[in-house]
């Protein structure tokens, strides 16, 4: 998901919703069933992740060259 966000430069909510809708579509095409709950999860998870991810991201301090080399 985050790789597609970086590659496409689209918001996290759009990418996550697209992935979820694609998975539901593939499941349906393979003969699976889906209901109201599945559609709600597919459409609401993306905006929820887009809202909460920036709030819950932990920012780590930048490491110095010596720390990265294990010194």
């Amino acid at each position: 998901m985050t790789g597609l966000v970086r590659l496409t430069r689209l918001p996290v909510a759009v990418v996550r919703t697209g992935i979820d809708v694609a998975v539901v579509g593939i499941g349906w095409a393979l003969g699976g069933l889906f209901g109201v709950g599945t559609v709600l999860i597919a459409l609401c998870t993306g905006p929820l992740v887009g809202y909460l991810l920036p709030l819950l991201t932990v920012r780590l301090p930048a490491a110095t060259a010596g720390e990265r080399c294990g010194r």
Side-chain angles (χ1 to χ4, degrees):
M1 175 183 69
T2 55
L4 284 175
V5 168
R6 185 174 286 184
L7 183 67
T8 62
R9 299 189 187 269
L10 292 171
V12 173
V14 172
V15 172
R16 178 60 192 237
T17 301
I19 290 170
D20 289 345
V21 168
V23 168
V24 170
I26 291 169
W28 176 76
L30 292 173
L33 302 174
F34 64 92
V36 175
T38 305
V39 173
L40 282 175
I41 291 296
L43 295 178
C44 295
T45 303
L48 189 62
V49 169
Y51 175 75
L52 290 176
L53 191 61
L55 298 175
L56 301 175
T57 301
V58 176
R59 303 280 181 208
L60 299 175
T64 63
E67 291 171 338
R68 277 183 257 146
C69 295
R71 296 181 195 165

